[in-house]
Amino acid sequence: MGQHLNRAKRHFGGDTRGLLEGGRYALLHTRSLEFDDLRPYVPGDDVRDIDWKATARSGAVLIKRFVSEKHHKILLVADAGRNMSALAAGGETKRDVAAAILGAFGLITLGRADEIGMVYGDTRGCASVRAGRGETHVEGMLDHFYRHTMNPGPSDIESQLRYVATHYRRRMLVIVVSDEPDPNTGLDEVTRQLAARHDMLWAMVSDMPAVSGDVDGYDVATGVLVPSRSRLGRGIEIAYRRAEQRRRARLEAFLTTHAIPFTAIGRTDEIRPRLTAMAEVFARAG
């Protein structure tokens, strides 16, 4: 494996069995090439599966039974903008946490026949990677994302979602990896449009609290100074934390309204449990 997939595997592990099962639309029911056994024909079976030689020998119509597989067509939608340069809640860069999350979904596809592609970008525009399979494809996709985040423009996940709504009409599993967006009319409109057409999951990389330390910082999106906790005072810190609680409640209500399973991840060591829990919600929704 390449460096990005290896890093994701360190945080997510190699056991991906049972993840991303279920869903309303994105599953394509196919057959593997591995023959299982024969069984009697029942009305409704595909006549192409009749084993005519076995039928002639037995005198009864017999159907070939194959190992059943369920495949997804997956599209990752990634915020590769300036917000990914900030620190996540655990102190790592959000870029590193996001890349590991994207890599985790890539690992899930390697044990299946899923096709996975990606749309990523910032306010300057969107780039896309066509769907494909295999380690080389996934590693290359992660490298495209990581390189973009090294010289990003301002973040705007709404732009990436609008690109998907315009260019991806076939039903698929759309997985959004972003920071914690502020719901607004435009984001609500495009999310509603996508959720009606596709299955969706949303993994958010949570910010380090602005008042968490005693050293001044700055907002990566605007460059504005963020004073330290000691300079702000206890009253402002309390007001900030209350505002953050309200903001997160609005965001959770927004995603719940659109019936999108979601999670917030602040550290790479949270990736495995948080994505597993989100996948379980997704499976139950199917």
Side-chain angles (χ1 to χ4, degrees), residues 224-243:
V224 172
L225 175 72
V226 179
S228 65
R229 179 170 54 188
S230 58
R231 291 180 58 186
L232 288 172
R234 181 62 176 166
I236 294 178
E237 179 183 351
I238 292 172
Y240 164 80
R241 295 191 184 281
R242 287 174 177 169

Side-chain angles (χ1 to χ4, degrees), residues 146-166:
Y146 206 88
R147 288 178 182 272
H148 189 102
T149 61
M150 302 306 292
N151 185 28
S155 290
D156 184 12
I157 192 62
E158 183 182 331
S159 295
Q160 281 72 66
L161 294 176
R162 290 198 178 280
Y163 182 92
V164 174
T166 302

